[in-house]
Amino acid sequence: MSVAGRWTAPASLAALVLLSCGTERGPLNGESGQNRAGAGGEAGSGFAGRGGTTSIGDTGGAGGSMNACESRCDVDGGVAGTSGGASGSNGGQNGGGAGSGGSAGSGGADAGSEEAASVYYVTTGSSFEDASEYTLGPMEVAYPAPDRSLFVVVQSASNGVTVAERVRVNGVEATKLVAVGEDVMPSAPSALFSIPFPSDLQATVEVEMSSTVVRCAVSLLVAYGLQNTTGVDDSETLVAKTSGSLSVDVAAGGSVITALAMATNSTGPTAQLTGFQGTGFSEVLAEGTPTLILVGVSGSRNAGPEVVNMVASDSTFNFRAFVAAVH
């Protein structure tokens, strides 16, 4: 299946949109915090800037340097809410340097201890074909490691009830962890899959839906040092029109993955996350009735409940969202 080109979101999505990444890669171990970490928002809230990205969430930091477009970045150092977005660690081995307006990560999992997993957004591919099977990629997934895993978020737009039945990455079947919006019609369902991914540099993702959908998107998130490699620690799903909250219990040093999909009549739809810092992506799949998709991952500094608040601008349709805690 061919992969359609991406639509560039309007300025009204500036709080959500990731810009095109440059090809040059920055350092992994947090040596160059200025190039690798976005400036922190007020009180350090919002996503730390990934190379070539803007923020998603609370009045977040500006995007990082275009010279730092890599798959392992921007969550592991610095304390959310008290420092600016910090640069990423070397797979949880070294704490990241401070982001603008922040201090260096310190203390337990925040310093990139060996107990803390690191999870980052990598890339998204999409297709506008009407189909029940899609092949997207190959998509680059740099920095192999024995403890590397891949999370795959599948999002689609359907006129009938449809289920993401199967995902293969480079021919190997992934495990389905959580899904939302697969029991109603029409819908914009989202599903999360995972697979060990220690060595490959590229990922080709095959998706099998239970029925034909009108478009499909696949987002990749890379994880290093997962302690729970069999699935999520906790998850919650949400169907709402304009706003709602989801809460999951997070293990110490864990991360929270979230996804939202919504049909929209608006030419400039928006969705906002609050209480959330990390890396992510938002895009409008503009064809027919457009679909707004959002994927993000946030590092959690302490064990306990993590609340994610979501607000969407178009009250015509329900959005479907999930939040999953991993560590």
Side-chain angles (χ1 to χ4, degrees):
M1 300 291 179
S2 61
V3 178
R6 288 192 194 152
W7 176 81
T8 302
S12 60
L13 276 177
L16 294 173
V17 176
L18 302 196
L19 305 178
S20 298
C21 282
T23 56
E24 185 177 350
R25 299 186 180 280
L28 280 176
N29 59 6
E31 294 175 355
S32 179
Q34 283 299 104
N35 283 343
R36 301 186 61 244
E42 294 182 11
S45 60
F47 273 171
R50 180 175 178 270
T53 76
T54 59
S55 65
I56 298 178
D58 309 320
T59 59
S65 164
M66 292 296 289
N67 290 332
C69 179
E70 14 102 322
S71 60
R72 302 167 69 176
C73 45
D74 304 326
V75 174
D76 261 6
V79 179
T82 59
S83 65
S87 67
S89 72
N90 186 7
Q93 300 299 315
N94 302 305
S100 173
S103 59
S106 62
D110 298 337
S113 67
E114 292 184 0
E115 291 77 18
S118 303
V119 189
Y120 309 107
Y121 168 81
V122 179
T123 191
T124 295
S126 59
S127 172
F128 289 88
E129 293 189 29
D130 292 8
S132 61
E133 297 184 5
Y134 293 88
T135 299
L136 298 172
M139 294 175 274
E140 183 180 359
V141 187
Y143 308 109
D147 64 348
R148 186 181 67 174
S149 300
L150 201 63
F151 288 103
V152 182
V153 178
V154 177
Q155 295 173 294
S156 60
S158 65
N159 292 320
V161 175
T162 189
V163 174
E165 290 188 323
R166 198 171 194 182
V167 165
R168 296 186 188 89
V169 182
N170 295 348
V172 180
E173 188 155 354
T175 301
K176 190 174 186 179
L177 303 176
V178 63
V180 64
E182 295 187 334
D183 57 349
V184 293
M185 57 180 288
S187 187
S190 298
L192 178 67
F193 293 77
S194 70
I195 187 172
F197 202 71
S199 58
D200 291 352
L201 298 177
Q202 294 182 320
T204 297
V205 181
E206 300 171 80
V207 178
E208 294 183 14
M209 307 296 295
S210 62
S211 61
T212 298
V213 297
V214 297
R215 66 190 70 94
C216 182
V218 168
S219 297
L220 304 182
L221 301 97
V222 68
Y224 295 88
L226 286 178
Q227 303 300 304
N228 179 5
T229 59
T230 61
V232 298
D233 302 322
D234 190 24
S235 65
E236 185 176 350
T237 62
L238 174 68
V239 178
K241 278 194 180 297
T242 57
S243 64
S245 296
L246 298 91
S247 177
V248 287
D249 290 326
V250 185
S255 295
V256 174
I257 299 170
T258 188
L260 174 150
M262 178 183 70
T264 176
N265 283 326
S266 172
T267 57
T270 60
Q272 296 177 347
L273 305 180
T274 59
F276 199 86
Q277 298 83 32
T279 57
F281 176 84
S282 175
E283 183 176 26
V284 176
L285 303 178
E287 176 211 32
T289 300
T291 304
L292 169 65
I293 62 171
L294 181 151
V295 174
V297 59
S298 172
S300 179
R301 307 309 178 197
N302 300 295
E306 180 95 348
V307 178
V308 179
N309 300 301
M310 297 184 175
V311 179
S313 64
D314 188 345
S315 60
T316 305
F317 300 101
N318 287 321
F319 64 77
R320 275 84 180 179
F322 70 73
V323 170
V326 300
H327 83 284

